[in-house]
Amino acid sequence: LPISLCAAPFNGISLAATSRPVLGTTFTLSTSGIPAGTPFASLVLSFTQATPPQDLTPMGMPGCFAHVVGGSNLTYVTPGSTASSALAVPNIAAMTGLSVVTQTFSMSSGYNSAGVIASNGLFLVLGPQ
């Protein structure tokens, strides 16, 4: 029997970095595949990775996992199918090797009982040029 995680056909949302997070530069995180009609989405940035990823099925999000613990949010209001954030990385040598975990959550109704879908997580390590 096929298993359906969403009420409507859906390939998921995807988070990607357009370049490496190098000290003293700006890089962009881009979320694509955001469903039409989404009122908002939130990019979460954290220094703590959920290990192992937390299964969000009990929260009404079957097939979704949380890869971040806590953190700060950048909210996209009425995003299109793609939302991006340019992030400046300070040129501070002491930040070399600092890990940042990111993930996007989209308030998109009709895909599960929670009305929220999650992207993949990204594990970024700040580095020198």
Side-chain angles (χ1 to χ4, degrees):
L1 293 172
I3 296 173
S4 176
L5 299 178
C6 299
F10 180 63
N11 290 329
I13 59 176
S14 179
L15 177 61
T18 59
S19 61
R20 294 182 20 230
V22 175
L23 299 180
T25 67
T26 298
F27 74 102
T28 301
L29 291 174
S30 182
T31 303
S32 60
I34 300 171
T38 294
F40 68 90
S42 184
L43 173 66
V44 181
L45 299 148
S46 177
F47 296 120
T48 307
Q49 179 181 10
T51 306
Q54 299 172 352
D55 184 359
L56 298 176
T57 299
M59 300 176 94
M61 299 171 63
C64 292
F65 292 86
H67 297 279
V68 296
V69 176
S72 296
N73 299 317
L74 298 173
T75 301
Y76 306 114
V77 179
T78 59
S81 62
T82 301
S84 298
S85 290
L87 303 171
V89 181
N91 193 11
I92 300 172
M95 294 180 69
T96 299
L98 181 66
S99 300
V100 179
V101 184
T102 66
Q103 183 172 14
T104 301
F105 294 89
S106 172
M107 180 64 87
S108 302
S109 62
Y111 295 96
N112 57 42
S113 63
V116 179
I117 52 179
S119 75
N120 57 296
L122 289 181
F123 186 87
L124 306 169
V125 179
L126 304 185
Q129 295 182 16

